[in-house]
Amino acid sequence: MNQPSEMLLVTEAADAPALAIVSSGRIRLTLRRFVTNPSAIAGVLVLLAMILLAFVGPYLTHWSYSEPDYEAIRAAPSARHWWGTNAIGQDVYAQTVRGLQKSVIIGLLVAVCSTVVASAVGTAAGYFRGWTDRTLMFLVDLLLVLPSFLIISIVSPRLRSSGWIALVGLITLFGWMITARVVRSMTLSIVERDFVTAARFMGVHPARIIVRHVLPNIASFLIIDATIQAGAAVITETSLSYFGFGVQAPDVSLGTLIADGTGDAIGYPWMFFFAAGLLVVFVLAVNLVGDGLRDALDPTSGAGRPARRADDVPAPPASVAGSVVEPVVGPVVDGPAPILRVRDLQVTFRARRKPPAPAVRGIDLDLYPGEVLGLVGESGSGKSVTSLALLGLLPGNARVHGSIELAGQQVVGASDQAMSRLRGQRIGIVFQDPLTSFTPVYRIGDQIAEALRAHQDISRERARRRVVELLDLVGIPDPARRANAFPHEFSGGMRQRAMIAMAIANDPDVIVADEPTTALDVTIQAQILDLMLELKDRLGTAIILITHDLGVVAEMADDVAVMYAGQIVERAPVRDLFARPEHPYTVGLLGSIPRLDDKREQLPSIEGRVPDMTRPPEGCRFAARCPFVEPACRANPPPLVEVAPGHLTRCRRAPLAQVLQ
Amino acid sequence: MSALLEVAGLTKHFPVRRGAFGLVSGHVRAVDGVDFHLEQGETLAIVGESGCGKSTVGRLVLRLLEPTAGQVRFDGEDLLALGDDEMRARRQHMQVIFQDPYASLNPRMTVGAMLGEPLMLHGLARTEAARRARIGELLELVGLRPDHARRYPHEFSGGQRQRLAIARALAVEPRLIVADEPVSALDVSIQAQVINLMRSLQQRFGLAYIFISHDLAVVKHIADRIAVMYLGKIVETATTDELFRSPRHPYTRALLAAVPLPDPTAVRERALLEGDIPSAMNPPPGCRFHTRCPVAREACRRNVPALVDDGMDHATACPYWPEFPPAHVLTEVRGQDQDRIRLERLQAAFVSAQREAS
């Protein structure tokens, strides 16, 4: 079971419709992102200017790079020699543009050659595996350990007849291996993906699979890598030439010029300065272009439309309706104030070059000690964002508004320090995938002990004993021994038990369980749900259970809040919600679940999809998919109204009995 | 009439290699002697928990993996005896749909290019115009628009992507589709759309499905017959109605009892299975389920139970099933009361109003 993280889906959902409008090739999107990036454009302009200089520059002067002017030895820049002359009277301008030309040609050729070699070797090794892979990777390892600089310096001068072409070959020979390794590992993971399996299954030829299915998916890496290669090759060439192993006289490159000029750099700076300056500018420009390409090719870096200005964003619904914010009253439980009190919680994600995405809009919640509140909704409903907000774990680009009071302390705007004190002591966490929630390199017991000692002043020894008690409490057999195990040595169910042990370690008042059993098998899920209920009864902890599974909610929750498009659309005691739903979305959702206890020929589904959160509808957010919609629904957002004691719904047409008339 | 697909003694052992020289240190017995058959136009669901070998069975049938032993007969012909080229030709008749619609579509290919590939490979549309027409037709079949062909996968939602994967499978007019957890990654309301689509396509084209899933509730709505797997073996097969009405194997019963029902009033006996699924590298001797079986006895540790058919197409790999109490309480608990009638009327109104609107 693979329930993708909701955060991701929020942005997906936000992206998709807008992109559908653009609906054209990726290349155009990439280009548009690239040209709106000022530093990348600067890099391109500088690079173009340098290439122009390298290839047109030599024709602008009548001096040749090799012929000396005996009347001007070490002459300073003047009208006759624009950039001066060197120790034997050669024109520095002519030499530098010639050297630049050489260096640029070598750099670009090396970049192209080594990218081609690396992609051929890397994809072949990754695709065919087995002996092909082992042989090619042996070759790569061999070339990597050889002292390349030494070999080139020995071989290169002996190949004088073929000159710089041989140099390109040599630098390429020792320059493609790292790229090939990366290409291989990328290929390995792409070949595992189902679309390649599908293509293989159709009988597509391996060469065609590599060209059509593998290469396009690593193209962005290759393009970026090629720019880095070009810069590196120029540096390698320069270093070789500097030591006299690269381009040989009478030809020049930036490297030979810098080598010749260093001796006189103090007294006659022009002999050194121009070549060194151009080298630095060239490498910088190449890197700027590389960075620009990386940003442009990364699909997560923006949707490719012009950014909407902040003031285009629709105002939060609270200010539209005025009546939307009402406290949601939980069930009356003997005892004092709620342990968790949320008022008008709003979370908005801001990303570069994207309109702000309001993920949660005006959530009110009260949670009492010992209560289990189920928060249900589909992807993009905002349920996981709500839980992250409660935990103070939202990413940096999230703007939170409203109030979250946990045992009397304000969470919104709390300092990191205060927040980490609250987490663990007041609020515990159980995530969907415990494998990613434990650090793989530390023993489970040590990690739980660390959580204990972070909040309690107890000795190592006592912490250790407490860990064993906790593991025993969550039903891990042989706890003293299992405390020494590493996370990967536990099965999924055992890890989730250990995660629960960690969550209850400091006796929190509230546990947030975000899809705690979604990654587990059904028989293991049943064990974990039972454990959570048992612990809740023993410890009196309140639980917020976030899930998409209505079966889990029915079994666990006392109270249920149904979320849709960032809002609570219905809240009721669990029996009322399942027996007498009062919101059309809940009705549709209950109808669409395949269930064991009945069999219908056709499963009713809710047609359509969740609204684009960057442009939420004016009125009711479910209106576009609601079969019971009235014109009034589309005009104004409906308030949350109480239709029965403790039963609230955000529907104008409630009680729904009237639609049956 | 002979079956469309007959599988006998299907076995796959993955060698486990260790160390620098890749010496084989053991075998993961992912699939161990599996038999089943599938008729034209029928849906067989293979259900079980992770590691039971259900996905491997799907891949073995399609020869995406080479079986260690066993027979796969498609239309009477032994697939395992075929060479690569002959197998490629047969693949026109069988297709596959994967779980994750985000991984199964090449993000750098337009929908049109993706659907055009199989058409071209199998020579199904000779001209550019014919291909374009067929692509449009395929998209309409799965409820999308022909002009979607110009778009890229990332422009579609999860449910729409799964529709695209179905369209790709349909492109070659297959007779068998192996669907590996096709709705598990989708939201509930979208799941229903995809299941309904698969059913209607089946009726229209007489497709046979092998529907691999961990979700018994989903399976109940699409399968004609069900095979329950545990640690590489089939422990029970029956028609869907029969399996849910009278599950026999203790594992099947435990699996059904463990599914949380979306009904807070349901009262069920919950015989929880203890412990974890053992490793397939070192399966328990005798009955593989005996380490977790609530009713295991001494003999279960030694004797490997055979999958015995009762003559009415209900086979069980447990010799003691006739001694167990009836288990129908597991699945039929919904009563008829006021609220339920109201809810059903509401849901009916929901569906009919939705239909009118569209």
Side-chain angles (χ1 to χ4, degrees):
Chain A
M1 258 207 10
N2 214 340
Q3 191 66 26
S5 101
E6 183 158 344
M7 299 281 311
L8 259 176
L9 283 168
V10 172
T11 52
E12 284 278 350
D15 266 6
L19 273 175
I21 296 163
V22 176
S23 135
S24 59
R26 188 171 278 264
I27 296 168
R28 211 187 309 165
L29 289 181
T30 308
L31 263 182
R32 190 178 310 163
R33 274 192 228 132
F34 190 82
V35 297
T36 51
N37 182 344
S39 64
I41 285 306
V44 167
L45 291 180
V46 171
L47 211 54
L48 283 178
M50 292 185 78
I51 290 172
L52 199 69
L53 180 68
F55 291 92
V56 181
Y59 303 105
L60 298 182
T61 174
H62 63 275
W63 295 106
S64 135
Y65 67 91
S66 52
E67 289 305 308
D69 175 3
Y70 297 113
E71 289 158 34
I73 306 278
R74 290 189 174 132
S78 64
R80 183 178 160 97
H81 295 286
W82 300 339
W83 292 359
T85 61
N86 67 6
I88 53 171
Q90 288 162 323
D91 185 77
V92 172
Y93 169 78
Q95 283 208 306
T96 308
V97 290
R98 169 72 183 184
L100 182 66
Q101 192 185 90
K102 259 303 86 104
S103 295
V104 167
I105 292 177
I106 291 175
L108 295 182
L109 272 182
V110 168
V112 170
C113 294
S114 67
T115 303
V116 169
V117 175
S119 9
V121 170
T123 50
Y127 185 83
F128 295 107
R129 308 193 195 187
W131 281 110
T132 321
D133 186 24
R134 263 170 268 175
T135 315
L136 290 172
M137 283 304 112
F138 179 75
L139 186 72
V140 163
D141 291 342
L142 189 72
L143 281 170
L144 273 175
V145 296
L146 288 179
S148 55
F149 202 83
L150 200 66
I151 295 180
I152 298 180
S153 61
I154 294 167
V155 177
S156 168
R158 287 163 219 277
L159 295 174
R160 201 163 300 177
S161 54
S162 46
W164 63 271
I165 304 264
L167 196 62
V168 169
L170 281 170
I171 299 177
T172 303
L173 179 64
F174 290 102
W176 57 273
M177 294 87 70
I178 306 264
T179 311
R181 287 191 147 226
V182 180
V183 169
R184 170 183 172 267
S185 65
M186 293 177 91
T187 308
L188 280 175
S189 78
I190 289 169
V191 167
E192 288 292 310
R193 309 249 306 261
D194 292 335
F195 65 80
V196 173
T197 314
R200 264 199 316 152
F201 179 75
M202 279 187 274
V204 182
H205 191 273
R208 193 180 152 86
I209 293 185
I210 289 177
V211 172
R212 296 261 303 177
H213 294 268
V214 179
L215 280 178
N217 284 296
I218 56 178
S220 52
F221 163 76
L222 288 175
I223 292 171
I224 294 155
D225 185 70
T227 62
I228 297 168
Q229 289 269 351
V234 169
I235 301 231
T236 311
E237 180 280 319
T238 313
S239 327
L240 283 166
S241 302
Y242 182 88
F243 292 108
F245 306 127
V247 172
Q248 300 295 322
D251 209 342
V252 292
S253 79
L254 292 181
T256 62
L257 294 174
I258 292 169
D260 292 346
T262 26
D264 292 322
I266 308 281
Y268 313 95
W270 58 88
M271 288 163 57
F272 168 79
F273 176 77
F274 290 108
L278 283 181
L279 173 68
V280 171
V281 173
F282 179 79
V283 175
L284 277 180
V286 164
N287 286 345
L288 282 182
V289 173
D291 286 348
L293 282 174
R294 181 189 345 247
D295 287 349
L297 289 165
D298 180 3
T300 59
S301 70
R305 353 165 217 170
R308 283 167 59 151
R309 298 223 318 273
D311 50 9
D312 292 348
V313 176
S319 58
V320 180
S323 64
V324 179
V325 185
E326 294 150 32
V328 178
V329 190
V332 183
V333 174
D334 290 343
I339 191 72
L340 180 74
R341 204 182 153 86
V342 178
R343 286 293 173 270
D344 192 26
L345 176 68
Q346 313 206 4
V347 182
T348 304
F349 288 101
R350 287 175 182 281
R352 226 157 41 109
R353 278 179 263 158
K354 272 193 206 173
V360 165
R361 272 289 164 259
I363 299 281
D364 298 321
L365 285 177
D366 283 320
L367 185 70
Y368 291 89
E371 186 191 1
V372 180
L373 170 67
L375 214 53
V376 296
E378 300 182 280
S379 4
S381 63
K383 59 189 194 300
S384 281
V385 175
T386 305
S387 82
L388 290 175
L390 300 181
L391 296 161
L393 289 178
L394 284 168
N397 66 339
R399 296 284 165 273
V400 188
H401 187 274
S403 156
I404 301 172
E405 262 178 57
L406 180 60
Q409 275 174 284
Q410 184 57 246
V411 171
V412 176
S415 70
D416 286 355
Q417 212 182 355
M419 208 47 237
S420 71
R421 238 188 347 260
L422 275 177
R423 280 198 293 268
Q425 254 173 355
R426 290 291 183 194
I427 192 161
I429 316 158
V430 179
F431 282 125
Q432 172 175 351
D433 182 4
L435 188 56
T436 55
S437 321
F438 280 109
T439 315
V441 294
Y442 292 116
R443 295 171 198 282
I444 295 261
D446 293 347
Q447 296 190 48
I448 300 174
E450 196 187 326
L452 276 169
R453 298 191 66 204
H455 296 287
Q456 298 174 32
D457 185 22
I458 54 173
S459 70
R460 200 171 287 275
E461 185 51 37
R462 274 201 55 198
R464 180 80 196 166
R465 279 207 303 276
R466 178 89 181 114
V467 166
V468 175
E469 276 172 31
L470 283 166
L471 291 181
D472 191 39
L473 189 66
V474 296
I476 289 179
D478 196 2
R481 195 174 59 81
R482 300 306 291 269
N484 288 324
F486 288 98
H488 70 268
E489 296 173 313
F490 272 31
S491 67
M494 283 297 160
R495 270 198 300 269
Q496 202 57 296
R497 286 176 190 270
M499 183 86 221
I500 292 172
M502 189 138 112
I504 60 170
N506 292 301
D507 290 325
D509 304 310
V510 179
I511 289 181
V512 175
D514 192 347
E515 303 275 5
T517 57
T518 303
L520 302 177
D521 280 316
V522 56
T523 58
I524 309 296
Q525 161 170 290
Q527 294 172 2
I528 298 294
L529 295 182
D530 263 31
L531 172 69
M532 287 177 62
L533 282 182
E534 185 198 320
L535 289 175
K536 181 210 72 167
D537 288 343
R538 275 171 73 170
L539 309 173
T541 322
I543 299 178
I544 294 190
L545 175 74
I546 291 135
T547 179
H548 70 285
D549 188 330
L550 288 164
V552 170
V553 167
E555 212 145 279
M556 294 279 292
D558 303 314
D559 235 33
V560 186
V562 181
M563 289 190 69
Y564 184 81
Q567 294 180 323
I568 292 179
V569 293
E570 181 161 11
R571 176 166 177 171
V574 68
R575 287 188 176 223
D576 290 353
L577 189 99
F578 280 87
R580 290 179 294 279
E582 281 294 354
H583 193 282
Y585 176 63
T586 317
V587 172
L589 200 60
L590 287 174
S592 67
I593 14 173
R595 34 200 308 166
L596 281 184
D597 50 355
D598 85 284
K599 179 170 182 174
R600 286 153 292 177
E601 274 305 299
Q602 191 82 350
L603 282 173
S605 63
I606 308 175
E607 299 301 325
R609 54 199 283 188
V610 288
D612 177 3
M613 291 294 277
T614 61
R615 269 166 281 173
E618 294 254 312
C620 170
R621 294 186 171 204
F622 187 61
R625 296 171 82 187
C626 182
F628 307 141
V629 66
E630 290 178 329
C633 301
R634 299 186 203 271
N636 290 306
L640 206 50
V641 292
E642 190 161 19
V643 283
H647 192 151
L648 299 110
T649 176
R650 198 180 288 279
C651 180
R652 226 168 261 292
R653 305 212 56 192
L656 286 181
Q658 61 180 347
V659 306
L660 290 175
Q661 256 100 71
Chain B
M1 191 183 95
S2 81
L4 177 69
L5 185 76
E6 274 175 290
V7 171
L10 195 64
T11 300
K12 179 70 185 177
H13 292 175
F14 292 102
V16 180
R17 292 174 194 278
R18 290 243 165 82
F21 301 104
L23 295 181
V24 175
S25 66
H27 284 94
V28 172
R29 294 157 74 168
V31 175
D32 222 358
V34 161
D35 310 306
F36 62 85
H37 61 97
L38 180 67
E39 310 293 332
Q40 185 72 46
E42 188 190 29
T43 301
L44 170 72
I46 303 181
V47 298
E49 298 179 282
S50 50
C52 72
K54 56 189 191 297
S55 289
T56 311
V57 168
R59 282 165 195 242
L60 290 172
V61 165
L62 299 169
R63 268 188 84 188
L64 278 168
L65 287 170
E66 288 301 318
T68 312
Q71 245 194 355
V72 178
R73 300 186 84 82
F74 184 80
D75 231 357
E77 184 179 37
D78 187 1
L79 288 186
L80 302 183
L82 297 178
D84 282 355
D85 287 343
E86 295 165 305
M87 189 61 212
R88 196 167 298 152
R90 301 303 180 281
R91 282 190 172 150
Q92 193 186 329
H93 304 298
M94 43 183 88
Q95 279 298 318
V96 57
I97 301 170
F98 298 98
Q99 169 179 0
D100 182 358
Y102 289 84
S104 65
L105 308 179
N106 186 342
R108 299 294 162 99
M109 255 189 182
T110 62
V111 167
M114 179 189 87
L115 295 177
E117 194 165 46
L119 296 178
M120 202 181 63
L121 276 166
H122 291 283
L124 291 174
R126 305 265 169 219
T127 63
E128 181 61 36
R131 192 181 312 157
R132 196 166 312 148
R134 175 78 177 132
I135 289 169
E137 189 183 66
L138 285 168
L139 287 170
E140 284 186 330
L141 264 182
V142 297
L144 297 169
R145 292 198 312 271
D147 61 287
H148 282 134
R150 291 201 316 269
R151 298 193 185 171
Y152 285 87
H154 72 267
E155 298 171 38
F156 296 90
S157 67
Q160 287 176 317
R161 284 181 196 217
Q162 205 56 305
R163 288 170 189 268
L164 290 173
I166 294 173
R168 178 176 58 188
L170 287 177
V172 294
E173 297 166 29
R175 297 167 64 190
L176 166 69
I177 293 182
V178 175
D180 191 351
E181 302 271 12
V183 297
S184 311
L186 306 176
D187 276 322
V188 204
S189 66
I190 310 294
Q191 272 188 0
Q193 297 175 8
V194 173
I195 293 174
N196 290 339
L197 172 67
M198 287 184 69
R199 286 179 66 121
S200 75
L201 291 171
Q202 176 170 49
Q203 279 154 18
R204 189 153 166 196
F205 299 109
L207 296 166
Y209 289 135
I210 294 182
F211 192 97
I212 297 162
S213 178
H214 70 281
D215 190 334
L216 283 159
V218 165
V219 156
K220 184 168 186 183
H221 287 272
I222 190 157
D224 300 308
R225 277 188 308 126
I226 298 179
V228 182
M229 284 187 74
Y230 186 79
L231 271 182
K233 284 182 180 295
I234 292 180
V235 296
E236 184 164 3
T237 65
T239 60
T240 304
D241 290 342
E242 170 73 8
L243 191 91
F244 283 95
R245 197 179 322 117
S246 52
R248 291 174 183 170
H249 196 282
Y251 178 64
T252 313
R253 296 161 71 112
L255 213 52
L256 286 171
V259 178
L261 290 183
D263 182 353
T265 56
V267 187
R268 293 190 297 166
E269 47 158 331
R270 277 266 295 255
L272 279 188
L273 279 193
E274 305 216 340
D276 276 320
I277 306 167
S279 153
M281 213 172 123
N282 210 349
C287 173
R288 291 187 174 184
F289 185 56
H290 85 251
T291 53
R292 298 174 77 199
C293 182
V295 291
R297 30 193 108 178
E298 197 49 41
C300 299
R301 296 171 197 273
R302 293 186 308 275
N303 308 334
V304 180
L307 187 64
V308 181
D309 200 311
D310 67 353
M312 286 142 78
D313 214 13
H314 189 163
T316 316
C318 180
Y320 307 112
W321 70 264
E323 301 166 26
F324 304 148
H328 60 271
V329 288
L330 293 177
T331 54
E332 286 157 30
V333 291
R334 302 190 81 186
Q336 287 290 340
D337 56 29
Q338 287 289 315
D339 286 335
R340 180 149 165 72
I341 292 163
R342 171 187 170 276
L343 180 55
E344 270 172 7
R345 284 180 60 203
L346 258 183
Q347 280 168 350
F350 189 94
V351 171
S352 62
Q354 194 166 257
R355 201 166 292 148
E356 268 168 38
S358 66

